[in-house]
Amino acid sequence: MVSAERSKQVQVLDSHTEGEPTRVVVEGGPDLGQGTLAERLQVFRDRYDGFRSGVTCEPRGSEVVVGALLCEPSNPECAAGVIFFNDVGYLGMCGHGTIGLVRSLEYLGRIKPGKHRIETPVGEVGVELKAGGRVSVSNVLSYRYRTAVPVEVPGLGTLTGDIAWAGNWFFLIGEHPFELTMERRAELIAATHAIRAALSASGITGADGALIDHIELFGKPEHAENSSRNFVLCPGASFDRSPCGTGTSAKMACLYADGKLAEGEVWRQEGFLGTHFSGSIEARGEAILPTIEGRAWITGKSVLVFEDDDPFVGGIEF
Ligand code: PYC
C-alpha cells in the first residue's frame, strides 16, 4: 500500500485525436494563482516544471504525449482554461489537444454539445462539440510571417520554407527530397531535427526572435480526397501522429497569403497516419481565422502516483 504522506496523486484523462494522444490533468495539478493564462504559464514554467516532465515523460508518459492542464478560466464566459505542455516544454496552442480536451470535458459531464470558448495562454479559441465525437476548433488569428526563407542544413543542402504563426511557430516546406511514408520515418525525424537546429543556428526565428519549434513537411496525400499530406516535428523529439491542428492552420495561412485558399473552401489536411483534419478560413485582413475539425476518443482514466523517493518522480528527460 502506497503511503499517502509520501506520495502525490494526479487524476488524468487520456484521449487521442486522430492518433495523437492528449493527457488532461483533471485534479492534483499545481496551483498557478489567478493571473491570465499567460501569467499562469510563466508560474508553471518557473516553479513547477518537474510536474510537466513527471506527467508527460517516461516512466508515466512518453515523448509523444501532450499534456493539458485544466485551469479555471479568467474570463467566466469560457468553459475552461488550458495550458498545453509536452516532453520538453510548453505549447502556445494545440489543435489536436483542444479537440481531446473538449471530448474529455464532455466525458466528465462538464460541457454539452454546442459552441464553447476555451482560454489558452495565446488567446481564446472557439470550439464546437458536434455529434459522433467531432469537434471543431476556431484557432487564434494566424498569418504567414516570412515567405521562401532559405536555410542551409548540414548534410541536406539548402531548403526553402515559409514561417507562419498559428498559436505556435512553424517552418513549412513544400519542396524537399523526402517521401512522407511510415518506412521513412527515422529519416524524416532526423531531417526535421537537423532543419530545426539549422534554423536556430542561422538565427532564423519567428516574430520578436521567437524560436521556431515546429517543422512541417508537405507531400502528396495517400487518399485522393485529401488536399495534402504532412509530417510535423513537434517541439522535442516526437512527430505529430495527427495532421496537427496548429500546423494545418499555419498551412492555410500560407495558402491564403498565396491566393490559393479562399473563404468557403475546405482544405483536407492528411496526417502521417492517413487521418485528416478538415480546415477552412475566415479572412481577417492579412491574417486568417482558421477552423479545423477532427475526432477524438477517450482512451483512459487513471491516477498517476508520484512517490517522494522515486528517483524519476520528475520523469526521464532524454
Ligand atoms: O495539433 O496543434 C496541434 C499540435 C501541436 C503539437 C502537437 N499537436
Side-chain angles (χ1 to χ4, degrees):
M1 177 82 182
V2 174
S3 148
E5 294 95 68
R6 288 194 306 103
S7 72
K8 176 175 169 49
Q9 304 207 345
V10 175
Q11 195 188 315
V12 298
L13 198 52
D14 285 317
S15 62
H16 81 81
T17 302
E18 307 293 358
E20 176 80 348
T22 305
R23 170 167 285 176
V24 176
V25 175
V26 178
E27 255 184 65
D31 179 0
L32 304 178
Q34 297 301 314
T36 64
L37 264 279
E39 287 164 346
R40 281 183 263 174
L41 166 58
Q42 202 52 50
V43 176
F44 197 174
R45 196 194 304 269
D46 292 346
R47 296 200 214 142
Y48 301 104
D49 200 52
F51 179 85
R52 170 196 63 75
S53 51
V55 167
T56 45
C57 296
E58 295 176 25
R60 292 168 192 79
S62 80
E63 62 192 26
V64 74
V65 171
V66 171
L69 179 67
L70 198 52
C71 303
E72 271 303 309
S74 50
N75 176 359
E77 288 181 6
C78 289
V82 63
I83 299 174
F84 293 108
F85 53 100
N86 75 351
D87 58 327
V88 293
Y90 302 85
L91 298 165
M93 227 308 271
C94 182
H96 95 267
T98 303
I99 294 174
L101 170 69
V102 168
R103 282 296 331 276
S104 299
L105 291 172
E106 178 191 31
Y107 184 88
L108 293 167
R110 297 193 188 179
I111 61 169
K112 295 215 173 324
K115 293 188 177 179
H116 306 276
R117 293 196 69 73
I118 306 279
E119 209 170 292
T120 81
V122 292
E124 283 181 23
V125 298
V127 298
E128 185 171 0
L129 173 60
K130 301 183 176 178
R134 298 200 73 81
V135 177
S136 72
V137 179
S138 294
N139 193 3
V140 295
L141 284 189
S142 304
Y143 62 96
R144 180 162 68 187
Y145 172 60
R146 288 180 67 192
T147 313
V149 178
V151 59
E152 186 62 30
V153 186
L156 297 177
T158 305
L159 291 169
T160 301
D162 288 355
I163 301 173
W165 167 256
N168 296 303
W169 283 104
F170 285 83
F171 193 70
L172 303 98
I173 308 175
E175 297 284 314
H176 54 76
F178 305 107
E179 271 177 46
L180 305 187
T181 59
M182 200 55 89
E183 301 72 50
R184 311 300 285 270
R185 73 181 183 284
E187 186 188 1
L188 292 167
I189 292 169
T192 46
H193 273 92
I195 295 165
R196 186 167 59 196
L199 289 171
S200 170
S202 315
I204 299 171
T205 66
D208 301 324
L211 182 76
I212 300 172
D213 52 6
H214 290 71
I215 309 296
E216 186 165 10
L217 305 178
F218 295 92
K220 283 213 175 71
E222 260 181 29
H223 304 284
E225 64 276 21
N226 293 334
S227 317
S228 144
R229 181 176 174 85
N230 68 9
F231 174 91
V232 183
L233 178 70
C234 300
S238 182
F239 66 90
D240 200 328
R241 273 66 168 159
S242 84
C244 192
T246 50
T248 301
S249 303
K251 175 66 179 173
M252 293 194 294
C254 295
L255 289 164
Y256 171 71
D258 284 335
K260 292 181 177 164
L261 186 68
E263 287 182 309
E265 286 178 351
V266 174
W267 180 261
R268 282 175 62 110
Q269 185 62 60
E270 182 178 290
F272 200 59
L273 301 184
T275 56
H276 78 277
F277 285 151
S278 293
S280 58
I281 61 166
E282 282 174 33
R284 293 281 194 276
E286 307 248 295
I288 58 162
L289 180 69
T291 296
I292 54 131
E293 182 171 317
R295 302 157 304 165
W297 293 266
I298 305 300
T299 55
K301 181 181 178 187
S302 53
V303 175
L304 304 181
V305 177
F306 298 80
E307 289 197 90
D308 287 350
D309 62 349
D310 178 350
F312 299 121
V313 71
I316 304 166
E317 291 194 86
F318 291 99

